[in-house]
């Protein structure tokens, strides 16, 4: 079994979770905040059987979109520096081996 930990844009999470659920996947949503932008995003965790991993990852990929954000970089020696573009997302995904899955 695998545990997917996926960091997703707030605007995409409803679509991702709806389609995971349609595909028979259970998921849990946790509020999170990006370290660079310090904006809210969402982390979802999904426990999946090994043979269903690709299907779950494809669903997360399909319903997560990338966005361009502007960030203000720190000024140098008091001079204002222009805002810098960063591309955020689609999803940032970690796949972990899950040793045990228990429900009591
Ligand atoms: P943030 O930390 O707010 O980062 C937003 C975007 O800023 C990132 O988009 C990336 O394009 C850029 N960025 C962040 N840190 C950077 C760095 N040290 N050097 C260069 N560019 C940097 P994404 O890569 O799509 O990440 C979206 C969100 O996913 C991140 O929001 C963070 O919450 C999470 N994330 C990304 N990589 C991670 C990692 N290795 N570990 C934990 N969380 C991660």
């Amino acid at each position: 079994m695998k545990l997917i930990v996926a960091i997703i844009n707030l605007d995409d999470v409803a679509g991702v979770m709806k389609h995971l659920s349609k595909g028979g996947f259970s998921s849990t949503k946790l509020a999170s905040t990006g370290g660079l932008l310090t904006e809210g995003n969402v982390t979802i965790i999904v426990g999946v059987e090994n043979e269903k991993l690709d299907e779950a990852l494809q669903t997360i990929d399909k319903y997560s979109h990338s966005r361009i954000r502007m960030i203000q970089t720190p000024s140098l020696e008091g001079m204002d520096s222009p805002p810098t573009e960063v591309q955020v997302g689609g999803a940032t995904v970690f796949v972990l081996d899950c040793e045990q899955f228990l429900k009591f």
Side-chain angles (χ1 to χ4, degrees):
M1 187 166 202
K2 302 288 184 189
L3 183 68
I4 300 171
V5 178
I7 303 160
I8 294 173
N9 191 281
L10 276 173
D11 295 333
D12 292 334
V13 72
V16 170
M17 291 184 80
K18 182 174 100 182
H19 288 92
L20 283 172
S21 182
K22 272 189 184 174
F25 298 102
S26 291
S27 61
T28 297
K29 169 172 111 165
L30 310 166
S32 48
T33 304
L36 184 74
L37 298 177
T38 63
E39 282 183 357
N41 51 30
V42 174
T43 299
I44 61 168
I45 56 174
V46 192
V48 297
E49 297 302 334
N50 291 357
E51 58 274 17
K52 300 275 279 177
L53 175 64
D54 285 347
E55 185 185 335
L57 292 176
Q58 281 164 18
T59 303
I60 294 168
D61 180 20
K62 183 170 179 184
Y63 295 100
S64 301
H65 307 288
S66 70
R67 293 167 174 82
I68 299 294
R69 301 289 321 226
M70 304 302 288
I71 58 164
Q72 190 67 52
T73 48
S75 61
L76 288 172
E77 295 168 359
M79 307 251 299
D80 280 340
S81 43
T84 306
E85 269 189 8
V86 290
Q87 183 174 327
V88 186
T92 298
V93 179
F94 303 87
V95 178
L96 291 75
D97 286 324
C98 182
E99 213 167 278
Q100 283 190 313
F101 171 59
L102 306 169
K103 282 186 175 180
F104 295 113

